[in-house]
Amino acid sequence: MGFDLREGTAVLERTPATFRALLGGMPDEWTTCDEGPDTFSPFDNVGHLIHGERADWIPRAQIILAQAGNRQFEPYDRFAQKRESAGKTLSQLLDEFAALRAASLATLRGWNLTERELALQGEHPALGTVTLRQLLATWVVHDLGHIAQTTRVMAKRYRETIGPWRAYLPIVDR
Amino acid sequence: MGFDLREGTAVLERTPATFRALLGGMPDEWTTCDEGPDTFSPFDNVGHLIHGERADWIPRAQIILAQAGNRQFEPYDRFAQKRESAGKTLSQLLDEFAALRAASLATLRGWNLTERELALQGEHPALGTVTLRQLLATWVVHDLGHIAQTTRVMAKRYRETIGPWRAYLPIVDR
């Protein structure tokens, strides 16, 4: 399956509204639950996506596009949101994510990337050589994965409550 | 984890808007992809949820609440949407789901269910005796599961495109 920018951005531009529809105004029970130590609650998922806008996707794309001597990405802090979201409400995070994502997409569109640029390479600190195309496709999959993760965390609250239906709903045991 | 109606309906009432945010106006590539024969595309997921409003959740709750001689549920057709969605656009399905869900929740709220009623039982054709509380909790988990399924199906389109990041994104191999 190839990747084109129009198609990829169709997902990226919808993610903030999807999280807002799913989580906006929700009782705290649904937004603070998690899967145990060092796992993400729905609240943490939004904070993690915010950190990605600041530290991951566009900054890494810029490293690739610059094609300077050092093309190595900064390691990514998966738990940055524990610090960065402190004291904020979910409503604030949803607004912040929407604003940052809109800015990221404006930057991305402004680049008018060509096929040649999509093939340019950078160095991931653990995965080695990657292309700009792979980075942008990963951004899309990462969004979708965090929507899935958020709904899975929520679903698990009712693992016991659904009784025998648990056999039909693998999401609560994933 | 218990189940209360206020909390459960907080999820149920958000699902139509979540699907609209995720899929409304999307290019067809994202809404018609699936995971192979007899699997659901994002379009199929919405049709499946529509069928559930008509044939599953409220009708089964009514069977339980009636406490008549025969409390056995009708078997559920997991592939009814192949027939029922034929000729419809995704936009039509999103509207239809929103309208049916709103009606379902109006019915549910109108019942003013008590703890005693939530403990009433019905007979699932395969799973045996279940309670109304279990049925309603399952409705919630089922919604969340289909949001997760929809994003998983979409993510898999880029399984190869993300290159080495596949190791970090288990959603594409689930």
Side-chain angles (χ1 to χ4, degrees):
Chain A
M1 182 60 60
F3 169 82
D4 78 46
L5 272 175
R6 179 192 61 87
E7 192 186 272
T9 53
V11 173
L12 295 174
E13 69 192 9
R14 282 165 174 78
T15 306
T18 301
F19 273 96
R20 195 184 295 279
L22 181 65
L23 299 179
M26 272 299 236
D28 286 349
E29 305 94 289
W30 287 117
T31 61
T32 59
C33 52
D34 62 33
E35 297 172 291
D38 291 340
T39 63
F40 289 6
S41 67
F43 181 87
D44 293 331
N45 269 276
V46 181
H48 173 74
L49 288 166
I50 285 171
H51 186 68
E53 296 307 296
R54 291 223 173 83
D56 188 344
W57 312 108
I58 291 290
R60 288 180 169 190
Q62 285 168 327
I63 289 171
I64 294 176
L65 287 169
Q67 290 290 297
N70 179 7
R71 297 169 196 172
Q72 174 129 348
F73 307 151
E74 293 290 318
Y76 184 80
D77 179 1
R78 286 187 59 246
F79 293 95
Q81 69 278 357
K82 296 280 181 196
R83 189 173 64 244
E84 295 176 358
S85 300
K88 294 183 182 168
T89 65
L90 178 60
S91 173
Q92 288 174 311
L93 294 188
L94 291 168
D95 289 346
E96 192 175 349
F97 177 45
L100 289 169
R101 174 58 58 91
S104 297
L105 290 176
T107 300
L108 179 65
R109 291 193 180 102
W111 286 337
N112 284 308
L113 293 172
T114 60
E115 286 295 311
R116 189 190 62 78
E117 287 166 316
L118 288 169
L120 291 175
Q121 296 178 334
E123 292 297 317
H124 186 284
L127 298 172
T129 303
V130 293
T131 65
L132 180 55
R133 182 187 301 277
Q134 288 168 343
L135 175 73
L136 297 176
T138 298
W139 191 3
V140 172
V141 173
H142 182 266
D143 270 20
L144 295 167
H146 282 287
I147 298 168
Q149 181 179 342
T150 297
T151 56
R152 182 186 74 226
V153 172
M154 294 167 72
K156 285 184 179 179
R157 292 190 69 225
Y158 283 170
R159 183 191 282 157
E160 308 298 333
T161 318
I162 60 179
W165 268 291
R166 183 170 174 177
Y168 289 178
L169 293 164
I171 190 171
V172 300
D173 289 297
R174 206 161 264 155
Chain B
M1 184 58 60
F3 170 83
D4 78 46
L5 272 174
R6 179 192 63 85
E7 192 186 274
T9 53
V11 174
L12 295 173
E13 68 192 10
R14 282 166 173 77
T15 306
T18 302
F19 273 96
R20 196 184 295 278
L22 181 64
L23 299 178
M26 271 299 235
D28 286 350
E29 305 93 288
W30 286 116
T31 62
T32 59
C33 51
D34 62 31
E35 296 172 293
D38 292 339
T39 64
F40 290 5
S41 67
F43 180 87
D44 293 332
N45 270 276
V46 181
H48 172 74
L49 289 166
I50 286 172
H51 186 69
E53 297 306 297
R54 291 221 173 85
D56 189 343
W57 312 108
I58 292 290
R60 288 181 170 189
Q62 286 168 326
I63 288 171
I64 294 176
L65 288 169
Q67 289 291 298
N70 179 7
R71 297 170 198 171
Q72 174 131 348
F73 307 150
E74 295 289 320
Y76 185 81
D77 179 1
R78 286 187 58 247
F79 293 96
Q81 69 280 356
K82 296 280 181 196
R83 191 174 63 245
E84 295 175 358
S85 300
K88 294 182 181 166
T89 64
L90 178 61
S91 173
Q92 288 174 310
L93 294 188
L94 291 168
D95 289 346
E96 194 176 347
F97 177 46
L100 289 168
R101 174 57 59 90
S104 296
L105 291 176
T107 299
L108 179 65
R109 291 192 181 104
W111 285 336
N112 284 309
L113 293 173
T114 61
E115 286 295 312
R116 191 191 60 79
E117 288 168 312
L118 287 169
L120 292 175
Q121 296 179 333
E123 292 297 318
H124 185 282
L127 298 172
T129 303
V130 293
T131 65
L132 181 55
R133 183 187 299 276
Q134 289 169 342
L135 175 73
L136 297 177
T138 300
W139 192 3
V140 172
V141 173
H142 182 265
D143 270 21
L144 295 168
H146 282 287
I147 297 168
Q149 181 178 342
T150 297
T151 55
R152 182 186 74 226
V153 172
M154 293 167 73
K156 285 185 178 179
R157 293 191 68 227
Y158 284 170
R159 183 192 283 156
E160 308 298 333
T161 318
I162 60 179
W165 267 291
R166 184 170 173 176
Y168 288 178
L169 293 164
I171 191 172
V172 300
D173 289 296
R174 205 161 264 154

